[in-house]
Amino acid sequence: MIGNLRKMAVEAAEPVRYHLPVGEERVSLNPLIGGPIRLHFTGDIHCIACGRKTKKSFSQGYCFPCTQRLAECDLCIVRPEKCHYDQGTCREPDWGRDHCLQPHYVYLANSSGLKVGITRGTQIPTRWIDQGATQGLPIFKVATRYQAGLIETALKAHVSDRTDWRRMLKGAAEPVDVAAERERLLAAAEADLAPVRERFGDAIEAVDTEPVTELAYPVDQYPEKVKSLNLDKTPTLEDTLRGIKGQYWILDSGVINIRKYAGYHVEFSA
């Protein structure tokens, strides 16, 4: 099959189920693990927003003009505490209302170790799966992305907000008592959280009754050494698919972040 690549679609199952969108088709990947696959980049890249042909992809699939025009490519997507809508400078206020002025969760996840993060309610547990987390737990529900960003900022002084992708791909994370860690973090960050709670009142809701979500991934064999593969340098990958975790394929020759190549025109076969 041939078409433009998109990030893998996921389903929460035991283990997680993956589907690869190639153009208008979707390939079920789990049955292919342990067998040979071929992914060939034809050399064309199309922006995932406007569809125009571009020589280089930015921000996981966009052309440069779209990164300068679209709110979804703005700094506040990765730094929500700097929300442009809150400052009155959002590039696309309608988009901001639809995506940022919606209920969000602040969560703890165990991917390469415990981390804090935020996501819209509709993206649980997809967000955790995309990060390769083996455990996930929502700890706050809030009314907007901006509020979630303020809480995340208060907590990340006491816990990481990053995933070490190389460590994540070397195996399942060591299990953590996430509920106990939540209590520890809330106590440690109490002084930093207080002003946010006072400012927004009932819009900040602690979540303390949700169970920890446990996730497992379809991996037959983890790599001893994590080597990153690049379609721009090696446009044809013919290898055995050993597993999938996060948005990564694990192959005999290395690992590849499929999400990074959204918009790339490829041929895929297995």
Side-chain angles (χ1 to χ4, degrees):
M1 62 188 60
I2 185 168
N4 291 318
L5 199 61
R6 289 297 183 100
K7 64 167 280 193
M8 289 181 286
V10 303
E11 295 178 57
E14 183 69 31
V16 171
R17 285 195 289 266
Y18 284 92
H19 302 272
L20 180 70
V22 180
E24 298 300 317
E25 299 185 70
R26 286 180 24 142
V27 185
S28 180
L29 292 173
N30 290 48
L32 305 182
I33 292 173
I37 57 96
R38 181 180 187 271
L39 184 70
H40 172 68
F41 169 42
T42 67
D44 289 341
I45 307 172
H46 294 89
C47 175
I48 63 173
C50 71
R52 80 178 73 192
K53 190 173 179 179
T54 178
K55 292 183 179 179
K56 185 178 180 181
S57 175
F58 299 86
S59 302
Q60 298 179 329
Y62 298 89
C63 65
F64 184 74
C66 279
T67 66
Q68 303 302 295
R69 177 176 60 86
L70 299 178
E72 62 200 85
C73 296
D74 221 330
L75 172 67
C76 55
I77 295 302
V78 293
R79 296 287 303 276
E81 73 278 10
K82 296 183 178 296
C83 175
H84 287 88
Y85 194 100
D86 181 74
Q87 298 171 14
T89 56
C90 184
R91 297 174 184 177
E92 299 177 279
D94 288 344
W95 187 92
R97 282 191 292 271
D98 290 343
H99 292 81
C100 302
L101 302 190
Q102 299 295 328
H104 277 64
Y105 284 91
V106 182
Y107 64 81
L108 295 176
N110 183 15
S111 49
S112 57
L114 197 67
K115 70 177 293 291
V116 64
I118 74 169
T119 191
R120 278 178 292 164
T122 56
Q123 291 301 299
I124 290 177
T126 300
R127 179 64 173 161
W128 300 336
I129 293 171
D130 284 347
Q131 295 177 339
T134 52
Q135 297 172 286
L137 180 69
I139 59 174
F140 282 101
K141 181 180 180 180
V142 299
T144 69
R145 183 176 178 84
Y146 175 57
Q147 294 164 0
L150 294 177
I151 293 177
E152 182 186 38
T153 298
L155 292 174
K156 70 184 183 182
H158 307 278
V159 66
S160 176
D161 63 338
R162 304 289 178 89
T163 294
D164 181 338
W165 63 272
R166 291 182 181 275
R167 184 177 174 190
M168 180 270 291
L169 289 170
K170 285 189 173 182
E174 189 71 24
V176 173
D177 187 340
V178 187
E181 285 298 302
R182 173 190 60 200
E183 299 308 311
R184 180 188 69 81
L185 285 168
L186 294 182
E190 184 176 2
D192 297 316
L193 290 170
V196 184
R197 285 171 152 158
E198 290 173 8
R199 179 179 174 185
F200 296 105
D202 292 342
I204 310 297
E205 178 185 347
V207 178
D208 53 15
T209 58
E210 289 290 320
V212 175
T213 296
E214 306 279 348
L215 296 162
Y217 296 86
V219 179
D220 284 351
Q221 181 180 325
Y222 284 103
E224 292 184 8
K225 183 177 181 180
V226 177
K227 175 187 175 184
S228 182
L229 302 173
N230 187 323
L231 283 181
D232 295 305
K233 296 178 179 178
T234 309
T236 302
L237 300 177
E238 291 187 84
D239 211 335
T240 300
L241 181 62
R242 297 298 182 185
I244 309 172
K245 192 177 183 188
Q247 280 288 318
Y248 286 85
W249 286 0
I250 300 171
L251 308 170
D252 283 339
S253 57
V255 303
I256 180 168
N257 181 353
I258 295 298
R259 186 173 192 172
K260 177 181 177 180
Y261 299 100
Y264 278 52
H265 192 257
V266 300
E267 298 170 357
F268 175 81
S269 60

